[in-house]
Amino acid sequence: MTRLLCYMPTPGGLTGAPRRLLTLCQVLKHEGIDVCIASEPGSDLLAAAEAQGVETICLKLLEILRLRHGALFGGSLFFKLRAALALIMQNLAFARLIRKSDADVVWLRGSKGIAFAVLGAWLARRPVVWDVDGSWHSRGVIKRIYGLGLQISRVVVHQYESAGEQIFGQKAAEKFNYKSYTLVPGIELNRLESLKKRKRGQDGNQNPEQPFQILEVGSICERKNQRLMIEAIAELKRIGVNRRILFQVAGGVFEEDYAKRLIEDIKKTGLQENVEPLGWRDDIHSLMSKADLLVLPSLDEGVPNAVQEAMYIGLPVMVSNAGGMPEIVEHGKTGWVLSVDDSRLWAQQIADCIRNEEKCRSVGETASMYADKHFSTDVWGKRYAEVVRQAAGQL
């Protein structure tokens, strides 16, 4: 049996990426892959994995490597030397962990997985499956990290067809195309079935006196682009949409400065009664079942869990044209795909949803049928297991 060690160094809460890893581990176990997750001691990810019967192992991250927003690669020459030494030490610790776990294959995610662990996997002489996910675009130090990941990894997994070119650039994507695979992630449809039925029961009973509820899921940060929605809601008032709007933002603060600017925008536009910051929530699916529209105006994305789950539930989705979202949402049929830099266009499309609720519901129903057909974990799990076995040299 192939043994796979999955490493996620800084999982944070149980947001999209950790939840997706947990789902992946379950489907790989079903396909006969022996899975172990390595992460920070005491993390929510390890606790959830243990609750699901997935083997876990702890690997503490050196303090300097916890820095966010590219700060790890900035600063003085002395700081850069400290950071480089910490990366070497972290990789050596990971190499020892690999040998201890007796893994046949190593799974890494994103740029951090490569920076913190790919040399360790190389030193331990274990093949690497690199799940690129929604990684940063290739430039500066990140470009060098990606180059290392592309060279060492035996298999590179993308969530959508154009990911390689978008993230690595055309030249690198073509060079390493022979080891690249596109696997659109699956979601646990059975877990959402009851909410799907609840959503259908509510859709025909909207009260025009109630607010039109718009939900955005994701950390408060520039990448998630919540400020565009404030501009769009302010525009809705200017063009004479009388229905009250309630914009719910579910997600913790990831960038303090961006959160402050967001609050300033809300006050400046007088939308305090229209915006409800919910903070970190573990009842996202319940929020989806009560909402009228899910929005995700992100500047950069892979294939977000929230969009896939909303589509299956039957909640209409309005997304930006970033990353893999245009590959799973068909504009005007299973949702709406809009430019990330035109808040007026977003306002006009939201206004159309409010004025044509039957059409909006129909789009949600069509999306639900599409999700039922394309987002199952069965196909995803089988194909991913084949990729892992190929990396292990068993195919």
Side-chain angles (χ1 to χ4, degrees), residues 49-290:
E50 289 167 4
Q52 294 182 14
V54 176
E55 184 184 344
T56 64
I57 190 167
C58 296
L59 180 61
K60 190 173 178 60
L61 194 64
L62 294 173
E63 199 62 34
I64 193 173
L65 300 182
R66 299 179 191 278
L67 293 173
R68 294 177 172 180
H69 319 314
L72 182 62
F73 307 115
S76 65
L77 177 61
F78 177 69
F79 178 84
K80 289 177 181 176
L81 289 172
R82 282 182 59 211
L85 179 61
L87 286 171
I88 293 170
M89 292 174 64
Q90 193 70 36
N91 274 273
L92 289 173
F94 187 64
R96 291 192 293 270
L97 184 76
I98 292 171
R99 296 189 182 99
K100 179 181 176 182
S101 70
D102 199 29
D104 300 304
V105 182
V106 171
W107 179 96
L108 302 174
R109 175 191 173 271
S111 54
K112 282 187 177 180
I114 294 299
F116 297 170
V118 78
L119 285 175
W122 178 75
L123 288 170
R125 300 181 181 276
R126 297 298 192 278
V128 173
V129 174
W130 181 17
D131 194 315
V132 177
D133 204 346
S135 295
W136 298 339
H137 293 276
S138 183
R139 52 182 175 267
V141 176
I142 295 297
K143 184 175 182 179
R144 296 188 183 93
I145 292 171
Y146 286 167
L148 187 65
L150 288 169
Q151 289 285 351
I152 293 178
S153 300
R154 186 167 294 180
V155 171
V156 179
V157 176
H158 298 296
Q159 295 184 359
Y160 56 100
E161 288 291 345
S162 58
E165 188 170 332
Q166 285 188 27
I167 296 171
F168 303 132
Q170 183 178 358
K171 186 176 179 180
E174 290 177 353
K175 181 178 179 180
F176 294 100
N177 184 60
Y178 72 94
K179 63 167 73 174
S180 300
Y181 296 83
T182 299
L183 304 177
V184 177
I187 56 174
E188 296 178 276
L189 303 182
N190 59 323
R191 266 195 327 126
L192 303 171
E193 189 61 35
S194 62
L195 290 169
K196 179 180 179 181
K197 291 177 181 177
R198 187 196 304 177
K199 182 67 182 167
R200 283 179 175 173
Q202 293 170 344
D203 277 347
N205 301 310
Q206 274 100 346
N207 182 351
E209 299 300 317
Q210 295 294 318
F212 186 83
Q213 291 186 213
I214 302 172
L215 176 66
E216 181 170 356
V217 178
S219 301
I220 309 297
C221 61
E222 186 173 1
R223 185 172 72 87
K224 293 296 183 179
N225 200 23
Q226 289 92 353
R227 294 179 71 192
L228 179 137
M229 288 307 304
I230 303 304
E231 295 173 11
I233 295 168
E235 179 67 17
L236 283 170
K237 288 195 169 186
R238 284 193 287 269
I239 63 179
V241 174
N242 295 322
R243 179 93 176 261
R244 186 187 167 220
I245 306 295
L246 179 61
F247 176 42
Q248 296 181 311
V249 185
V253 174
F254 187 71
E255 295 174 359
E256 293 285 352
D257 289 344
Y258 185 84
K260 289 176 183 177
R261 294 198 299 272
L262 181 65
I263 292 170
E264 289 170 4
D265 289 347
I266 294 168
K267 291 178 179 178
K268 184 178 178 180
T269 52
L271 295 176
Q272 292 93 326
E273 294 185 0
N274 299 96
V275 181
E276 185 180 6
L278 300 175
W280 163 252
R281 297 289 290 258
D282 59 5
D283 60 343
I284 296 299
H285 298 148
S286 179
L287 292 171
M288 285 181 178
S289 71
K290 298 171 186 174

Side-chain angles (χ1 to χ4, degrees), residues 322-371:
M325 293 190 290
E327 293 188 16
I328 63 168
V329 179
E330 184 176 351
H331 184 72
K333 186 174 181 182
T334 61
W336 298 274
V337 182
L338 306 176
S339 171
V340 296
D341 56 5
D342 191 345
S343 59
R344 287 179 297 178
L345 188 61
W346 286 74
Q348 291 165 5
Q349 190 62 68
I350 293 169
D352 186 60
C353 289
I354 293 171
R355 292 166 181 157
N356 300 278
E357 290 193 22
E358 186 57 41
K359 176 185 175 183
C360 192
R361 282 196 295 272
S362 176
V363 167
E365 290 169 1
T366 303
S368 182
M369 290 186 285
Y370 176 89

